Amino acid sequence: MNTQQNHKKPLNSKGAAIFKKMLEDKRAIHEHLQNGGKLTDLKDKYNFLDPLSFYKNK
């Protein structure tokens, strides 16, 4: 007997949309670099951040 029901969560979450946008941006940047482009060409279109450092400013 199967007493467990399958409950699917809705895919309309805010995090899903952000993650999808991140994957699309990653794919576009990857294609640009594979075609010989440079990151400096993309600095106006995408917001590149410096990596966080926990040891900075101590």
Side-chain angles (χ1 to χ4, degrees):
M1 252 208 277
N2 188 2
T3 60
Q4 219 175 12
Q5 294 180 1
N6 291 335
H7 294 285
K8 292 185 178 181
K9 292 183 179 181
L11 298 177
N12 297 339
S13 70
K14 182 178 180 181
I18 293 170
F19 186 68
K20 183 178 178 182
K21 175 72 170 128
M22 286 172 49
L23 289 177
E24 290 172 356
D25 291 348
K26 178 186 176 284
R27 190 174 301 122
I29 292 168
H30 179 74
E31 288 176 7
H32 178 75
L33 295 176
Q34 288 293 321
N35 293 328
K38 296 181 180 181
L39 282 177
T40 54
D41 300 337
L42 298 174
K43 70 178 181 179
D44 293 333
K45 188 173 181 180
Y46 298 102
N47 186 15
F48 295 107
L49 300 175
D50 292 332
L52 291 177
S53 176
F54 294 106
Y55 302 107
K56 198 174 188 178
N57 296 329
K58 276 194 168 184

